[in-house]
DNA sequence: CGGTGGATTGTTACCGGTAACGAAATGGGC
DNA sequence: GCCCATTTCGTTACCGGTAACAATCCACCG
């Protein structure tokens, strides 16, 4: 045995991952047979299949994805363009997309950009162009980004945002704003008639969709938004939005297009001496984890951002594979908390 | 010319990215010369260099990173293990790391895991093991994860968390808790003597560090924490933490280990009839974007998470390249807002 | 029992780079 | 002008897979 050991020691190849050639040698077949089995081909004799499987097992073989990519000339990398990851929504969407990507053997190349800054956007696009990516997931769907993409003229599949443009009748919806009517029903049922909407930036598709959904839902009750103010999704902008309202403005509810703005709005309202919900009801959208613990806990719409990420990636993958993506609705759900109540009598 | 045109048209290769061979042909040199120039070698005659540069330009050459990876046998992929991305802190850290990664031609493979769930962690590690990654960035630094990593016995560089373990005298700090003493000074100067700490989970290195920093800072004033309660970083747990305090408990300040828990704590305090900051002062850590717009705006410590991500990746890269990483401090900064005030007289 | 055709399997080339080494060109000293 | 040490450049092999095609096997038929 000591002899054998010595030979083993000498023959011991440099520690390195086993390849299909190693597997083939051990199994006594050609590397191609191994490759075929790995690919899931059927035409392999049971005896051989068994031996290859065995060899795969004993060598603890793991495919070299780099080599595979090179040979197939297919990249398994997808660029994700997103706004600040520090935000809850985008963060969750990316998380969902990342999970889905890994499931399909892809990696995400995350590129965050400041959507407002045109040169920053161009820079991001240039970066993407230099990588070899199989597709692009643009999670921050704004007009500016769309325009930049049009200019860039990518040859690879691009999936813009998670939402179709309801307001302008764009491509089919992937993310539904279906819960917003429900939220409006709730407010109207409570007795609210004068509702202010704090919308996201006009250039954001999601902002337009949400604003559209609100005014549409109100229309069903024969009402309309008393006023729409525009923010930039941040708590700061929600705060400023309320402060920008004239002191004489009459309204009993404020519906913000996301929770952060709702949060800022609540602070501004309270600074103005208006109690939430006693004087004014406030609602958000997204249901960030903190929403339940704000003062008061916020009525909002849970958006299931993670699922959005999954869906978005799957759709992109379908495009990459030359299939036509099937638009899938991701439903929202109204979460009632204490920031909404019947308006004060007056 | 028309003859030439026709030939051109016929010879037109299938649309595909130019390779170094194409560049070499156009420049009239061997592909190796191109490769050398690309690598930054010096020994190339100016005339040739010029022609290659020219060819590179006209063909709009872009290196195929896959082929390069295969040839060099070096992966340019780094796995990032992180807690929920939906949280602000982790999200920003990942964002910073992603930026730094791209700068060095790397991509991040983001794997989110539930640190508390052991099987989930093992699963994540198995996933990593199947990929060929150059290194691992474990941003969620817990004892459980460390143990799992020890068991996994990776052959590749691993960078655990962004913080060294101050409390147990671990490896050198990369992220400083240096601002916490300042925060404590502030509270003590206001007159607070009875301070409750809502800590993160004991198994988190960051939680230990922060708790340690608080008690240490108090020691300098001859004081100690009146009480420490443990949460799980979530707003919900901050809320429960305060509710778990006995009704007769005497304290004038609550310092949470992050902003979310501070937020939950504020709600619970107010439900208990205690005003913030009139009866009890509250502080957080992280300075999430919402902190300034809570009711009341939260005094906290800004942690510069994005920079943390940059530093973490750079250090990992150093390890990958066989260098010894230099621990770099990322400093925090106290942000004073309205949630802290002198304690009520009694 | 030879022929035939589909099922299996093996051989060779290729993906687009880098590494190693040898060949050619250059330049300086005598 | 010749020789030799350096530069500079080109050739060939290789990374670990997949693709295309050729070769072999085998069962079944006439």
């Amino acid at each position: 045995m000591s002899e054998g050991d010595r030979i083993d020691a000498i023959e011991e190849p440099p520690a390195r991952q086993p390849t299909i050639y190693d597997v083939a040698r051990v199994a006594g077949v050609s590397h191609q047979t191994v490759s075929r089995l790995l690919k899931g081909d059927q035409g392999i004799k049971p005896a051989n299949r068994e031996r290859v499987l065995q060899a795969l097992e004993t060598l603890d073989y793991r495919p070299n994805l780099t080599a595979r990519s090179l040979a197939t000339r297919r990249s398994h990398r997808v660029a994700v363009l997103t706004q600040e990851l520090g935000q809850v929504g985008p963060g969750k969407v990316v998380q969902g997309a990342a999970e889905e990507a890994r499931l399909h053997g892809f990696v995400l190349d995350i590129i965050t950009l400041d959507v407002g800054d045109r040169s920053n956007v161009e820079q991001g696009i240039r970066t993407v162009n230099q990588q070899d990516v199989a597709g692009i997931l643009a999670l921050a769907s704004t007009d500016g980004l769309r325009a930049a993409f049009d200019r860039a003229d990518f040859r690879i599949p691009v999936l813009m945002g998670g939402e179709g443009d309801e307001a302008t009748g764009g491509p089919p919806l992937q993310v539904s704003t279906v819960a917003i009517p429900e939220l409006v029903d709730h407010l109207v049922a409570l007795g609210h008639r004068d509702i202010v909407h704090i919308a996201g930036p006009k250039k954001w598709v999601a902002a337009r969709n949400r604003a559209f959904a609100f005014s549409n839902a109100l229309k069903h009750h024969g009402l309309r938004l008393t006023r729409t103010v525009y923010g930039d999704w941040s708590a700061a902008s929600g705060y400023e939005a309320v402060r920008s309202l004239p002191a004489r403005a009459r309204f009993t509810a404020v519906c913000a297009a996301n929770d952060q703005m709702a949060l800022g709005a609540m602070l501004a309202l309270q600074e103005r001496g208006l109690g939430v919900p006693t004087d004014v009801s406030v609602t958000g959208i997204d249901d960030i984890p903190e929403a339940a613990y704000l003062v008061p806990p916020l009525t909002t719409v849970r958006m299931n951002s993670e699922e959005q990420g999954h869906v978005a990636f799957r759709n992109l993958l379908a495009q990459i594979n030359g299939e036509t993506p099937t638009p899938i609705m991701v439903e929202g759900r109204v979460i009632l908390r204490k920031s909404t109540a019947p308006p004060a009598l007056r």
Side-chain angles (χ1 to χ4, degrees), chain A residues 220-250:
Chain A
H220 280 291
H221 294 280
L223 299 169
R224 30 180 307 199
L225 285 171
T226 300
R227 192 184 287 260
T228 300
V229 205
Y230 295 88
D232 66 3
W233 301 120
S234 73
S237 72
Y239 180 81
E240 292 306 333
V242 167
R243 287 171 57 102
S244 77
L245 294 174
R248 50 169 185 70
R250 287 264 159 269

Side-chain angles (χ1 to χ4, degrees), chain A residues 76-80 98 101-102 104-110 133 313:
Chain A
H76 292 268
R77 175 190 297 204
V78 164
V80 177
R102 191 177 36 266
H104 295 96
F106 277 69
V107 279
L108 298 187
D109 193 355
I110 293 176
V133 294
F313 185 86

Side-chain angles (χ1 to χ4, degrees), chain A residues 9-266:
Chain A
I10 290 171
E11 284 186 350
E12 184 80 49
R16 127 191 109 69
Q17 291 287 334
T19 70
I20 53 170
Y21 294 89
D22 298 322
V23 175
R25 192 157 25 75
V26 170
V29 298
S30 82
H31 72 277
Q32 191 54 227
T33 302
V34 178
S35 174
R36 275 191 272 260
L37 184 136
L38 254 18
K39 211 182 10 169
D41 272 16
Q42 293 309 320
I44 298 176
K45 278 210 249 162
N48 276 338
R49 169 182 301 271
E50 204 42 56
R51 296 168 64 195
V52 173
L53 251 21
Q54 186 67 37
L56 246 23
E57 175 71 24
T58 64
L59 290 182
D60 186 24
Y61 169 81
R62 302 201 209 116
N64 180 322
L65 302 174
T66 305
R68 181 176 294 171
S69 276
L70 182 59
T72 57
R73 307 207 219 174
R74 304 212 309 143
S75 160
H76 292 268
R77 175 190 297 204
V78 164
V80 177
L81 297 184
T82 175
Q83 180 82 317
E84 289 280 310
L85 254 193
Q87 308 244 5
V88 179
K92 291 221 139 195
V93 175
V94 169
Q95 176 173 335
E99 280 167 13
E100 193 69 26
R102 191 177 36 266
L103 210 62
H104 295 96
F106 277 69
V107 279
L108 298 187
D109 193 355
I110 293 176
I111 298 173
T112 57
L113 31 78
D114 177 355
V115 178
D117 176 354
R118 176 157 165 175
S119 79
N120 181 299
V121 169
E122 299 282 357
Q123 162 71 36
I125 287 180
R126 218 169 313 126
T127 306
V128 172
N129 248 330
Q130 283 169 17
Q131 307 285 337
D132 87 307
V133 294
I136 300 176
L137 212 49
L139 260 17
S141 184
T142 66
D143 294 341
L145 196 60
R146 289 194 171 185
F149 270 34
D150 286 346
R151 283 196 299 278
D153 185 28
F154 291 111
R155 283 194 210 160
I156 52 177
V158 173
L159 188 67
M160 290 291 306
E163 316 191 18
D165 201 334
E166 264 184 290
T168 64
L173 266 195
Q174 280 154 1
V175 173
S176 151
T177 40
V178 77
I180 290 179
E182 226 180 288
L183 184 62
V184 169
D185 291 348
H186 165 65
L187 288 172
V188 171
L190 287 176
H192 294 277
R193 296 291 176 273
D194 294 315
I195 299 179
V196 171
H197 179 48
I198 304 182
K202 287 180 194 174
K203 295 190 170 177
W204 281 70
V205 175
R208 283 200 295 267
N209 284 347
R210 291 173 183 189
F212 181 73
F214 273 109
S215 70
N216 227 23
L218 279 170
K219 201 176 291 172
H220 280 291
H221 294 280
L223 299 169
R224 30 180 307 199
L225 285 171
T226 300
R227 192 184 287 260
T228 300
V229 205
Y230 295 88
D232 66 3
W233 301 120
S234 73
S237 72
Y239 180 81
E240 292 306 333
V242 167
R243 287 171 57 102
S244 77
L245 294 174
R248 50 169 185 70
R250 287 264 159 269
F251 57 91
T252 62
V254 173
C255 294
N258 74 352
D259 288 351
Q260 276 84 358
M261 294 196 291
L263 166 56
M266 290 204 293

Side-chain angles (χ1 to χ4, degrees), chain A residues 298-333:
Chain A
L298 186 67
T299 291
T300 184
V301 177
R302 183 169 298 163
M303 284 308 259
N304 203 350
S305 308
E306 229 175 298
E307 179 63 15
Q308 260 181 61
H310 278 100
V311 169
F313 185 86
R314 273 204 295 274
N315 275 344
L316 179 64
L317 186 58
Q319 275 185 249
I320 290 173
N321 293 335
E323 307 156 18
T324 45
T326 48
I328 299 167
M329 290 286 218
V330 178
E331 309 245 325
R333 196 172 115 228

